[in-house]
Amino acid sequence: MFRGSFTLTLDEKGRLALPARYREFLLSDCQGHLICTIDLHDPCLLLYPLAEWEEIEEKLKRLSSLNPQERRLQRVLLGNATDCDMDKNGRILLPAPLRQHAGLSKGIRLVGQLNKFEIWDETAWHERLAADIALEQAQAGDVELSERLQDFAL
């Protein structure tokens, strides 16, 4: 499982060195083969180990290509999905169109999300985090929580 957040640097070729603590796992779990695609709701990228991505592909395969909403989801996720193989130095190349979508600059934030990573521009990450905290504080007590969130405790 991936957790924590890491400040990383994107090099001039668009490569990102993954944290050393995950490299061995990624090599044994998926031979360093990862899939990167865009996030539908936030200006970030999603990075999956191959096995995790294959589960998503199975779910996408079950959607109807005749339903316009389901077809759009397939088009966006699959159309932007890119193979990213980890090199011997633990780096992956993020293609220019994906970097542009997320507005990535040199400073990157890699955020563990259990079965995947989110890749954010460092500035955008801090802005989103501050906005999420402010929204949570403003809505405290004013929002109806889903049943799962009502039972969620830390």
Side-chain angles (χ1 to χ4, degrees), residues 23-34 50 85-86:
R23 291 178 193 173
E24 188 174 318
F25 170 76
L26 291 170
L27 284 172
S28 66
D29 182 59
C30 61
Q31 295 75 49
H33 191 78
L34 305 159
L50 180 60
D85 291 322
M86 205 168 59

Side-chain angles (χ1 to χ4, degrees), residues 6 16 18 34 63 68 73 96 105 133 147:
F6 306 85
L16 181 67
L18 297 173
L34 305 159
L63 296 177
L73 180 65
S105 59
I133 291 170
E147 189 174 318

Side-chain angles (χ1 to χ4, degrees), residues 10-15 93-94 99:
L10 196 64
D11 73 12
E12 64 280 348
K13 294 180 180 178
R15 295 177 300 191
L93 175 65
L94 298 175
R99 294 193 313 262

Side-chain angles (χ1 to χ4, degrees), residues 61-90:
K61 199 185 304 185
R62 290 191 290 269
L63 296 177
S64 171
S65 61
L66 299 177
N67 179 305
Q69 289 177 315
E70 293 177 13
R71 183 71 186 125
R72 275 193 298 275
L73 180 65
Q74 291 170 326
R75 185 180 305 117
V76 171
L77 290 178
L78 293 170
N80 288 287
T82 303
D83 294 280
C84 295
D85 291 322
M86 205 168 59
D87 70 13
K88 64 182 178 185
N89 296 316

Side-chain angles (χ1 to χ4, degrees), residues 2 4 33 49 62 79 100 120 139:
F2 308 118
H33 191 78
R62 290 191 290 269
Q100 290 169 353
W120 288 81
Q139 293 181 342

Side-chain angles (χ1 to χ4, degrees), residues 25-138:
F25 170 76
L26 291 170
L27 284 172
S28 66
D29 182 59
C30 61
Q31 295 75 49
H33 191 78
L34 305 159
I35 305 295
C36 190
T37 193
I38 65 173
D39 187 282
L40 296 171
H41 307 290
D42 289 308
C44 69
L45 303 177
L46 303 174
L47 183 66
Y48 293 89
L50 180 60
E52 293 289 336
W53 177 253
E54 287 173 338
E55 289 180 27
I56 291 169
E57 283 183 325
E58 285 301 316
K59 292 176 186 177
L60 290 168
K61 199 185 304 185
R62 290 191 290 269
L63 296 177
S64 171
S65 61
L66 299 177
N67 179 305
Q69 289 177 315
E70 293 177 13
R71 183 71 186 125
R72 275 193 298 275
L73 180 65
Q74 291 170 326
R75 185 180 305 117
V76 171
L77 290 178
L78 293 170
N80 288 287
T82 303
D83 294 280
C84 295
D85 291 322
M86 205 168 59
D87 70 13
K88 64 182 178 185
N89 296 316
R91 298 175 303 193
I92 58 168
L93 175 65
L94 298 175
L98 295 183
R99 294 193 313 262
Q100 290 169 353
H101 167 80
L104 300 181
S105 59
K106 191 171 182 156
I108 301 296
R109 184 59 70 119
L110 184 75
V111 183
Q113 294 291 298
L114 300 176
N115 67 332
K116 66 181 175 290
F117 292 105
E118 292 179 343
I119 301 173
W120 288 81
D121 178 75
E122 181 77 14
T123 301
W125 166 252
H126 288 292
E127 290 170 356
R128 174 50 54 98
L129 191 58
D132 287 347
I133 291 170
L135 180 63
E136 185 66 30
Q137 291 170 345

